[in-house]
Amino acid sequence: NNDNMKILVTGGTGFIGSHTVVELINAGCEPIIVDNLSNSNIGVLDGIEKICGVRPKFYEIDCRDKDALDKLMEENKGIDSIIHFAASKAVGESVENPLLYYRNNLVSLINLLELMKKHEIKNIVFSSSCTVYGQPDILPVDETAPIKPALSPYGNTKQINEEIIRDAIYSGVPYKAIILRYFNPI
């Protein structure tokens, strides 16, 4: 039963995020969007409302701001799950400005994982990437393919984030995680 299941969607006004929010609303969930609007537009909320007849809660927060995320979770008690799409994602830009990518993509995830424990959030879905497979030996690639050295700082942040999640799970944290490795998100 999804009725009123609260799901925090980071990057929820982005391409994948906004489509996911529509599906969540249609499934009877209550999505709460967090986005810093660095790669999306507030007008997306109008589109979601047009499609679903519901305007989801929206917070303009950067996921590196742990205090703001903490406050949001306090205000919205009972969040069941997080779907984490918020990340810097341009491969070329990551090569030119790697530290920005490491700060954005790693700190955001660490903040969410720490706050999940504090606020007893039970699940996280992490938006990873096929870039974790590097240059694959065999096509088509499946989940048994080895993880190869990343070809960009962007790809490396996805690999490191997967490792952070894995290490958190192995440590016995009270939540579950699913990692999605898209090739073409469409």
Side-chain angles (χ1 to χ4, degrees):
N1 185 1
N2 297 326
D3 284 356
N4 299 332
M5 186 187 287
K6 289 185 187 170
I7 301 179
L8 185 68
V9 183
T10 72
T13 56
F15 179 76
I16 308 177
S18 60
H19 283 75
T20 301
V21 166
V22 167
E23 294 305 320
L24 290 171
I25 292 169
N26 288 341
C29 299
E30 184 189 329
I32 300 163
I33 297 175
V34 169
D35 205 303
N36 67 2
L37 302 175
S38 64
N39 198 27
S40 60
N41 188 304
I42 191 72
V44 167
L45 292 176
D46 297 331
I48 293 169
E49 188 174 19
K50 235 181 229 153
I51 293 165
C52 301
V54 177
R55 192 173 188 87
K57 270 190 189 171
F58 171 80
Y59 292 82
E60 188 174 344
I61 292 174
D62 190 301
C63 290
R64 292 171 298 180
D65 185 345
K66 190 175 177 184
D67 291 341
L69 286 174
D70 191 19
K71 193 169 163 238
L72 175 159
M73 291 173 185
E74 202 57 55
E75 281 173 23
N76 295 277
K77 286 204 183 308
I79 293 172
D80 179 78
S81 304
I82 296 173
I83 306 178
H84 182 38
F85 294 121
S88 301
K89 63 168 178 46
V91 171
E93 183 186 43
S94 80
V95 174
E96 288 160 26
N97 197 346
L99 297 182
L100 172 77
Y101 272 65
Y102 286 109
R103 180 179 296 282
N104 276 357
N105 294 359
L106 302 186
V107 172
S108 294
L109 177 71
I110 291 166
N111 284 344
L112 289 167
L113 294 178
E114 288 176 342
L115 290 168
M116 283 178 74
K117 198 168 175 183
K118 177 179 177 183
H119 293 278
E120 299 177 343
I121 297 170
K122 297 189 274 301
N123 308 289
I124 184 164
V125 176
F126 175 64
S127 184
S128 189
S129 167
C130 66
T131 60
V132 301
Y133 297 116
Q135 287 287 10
D137 301 320
I138 300 167
L139 292 172
V141 174
D142 67 21
E143 285 151 336
T144 63
I147 303 295
K148 298 283 193 85
L151 300 174
S152 69
Y154 161 74
N156 202 29
T157 66
K158 293 299 187 182
Q159 285 187 4
I160 294 166
N161 274 343
E162 288 195 12
E163 291 166 6
I164 290 169
I165 291 168
R166 185 193 63 211
D167 290 345
I169 296 298
Y170 286 165
S171 78
V173 289
Y175 51 78
K176 293 179 180 164
I178 292 176
I179 293 170
L180 305 177
R181 296 175 178 161
Y182 320 106
F183 287 76
N184 183 335
I186 294 168

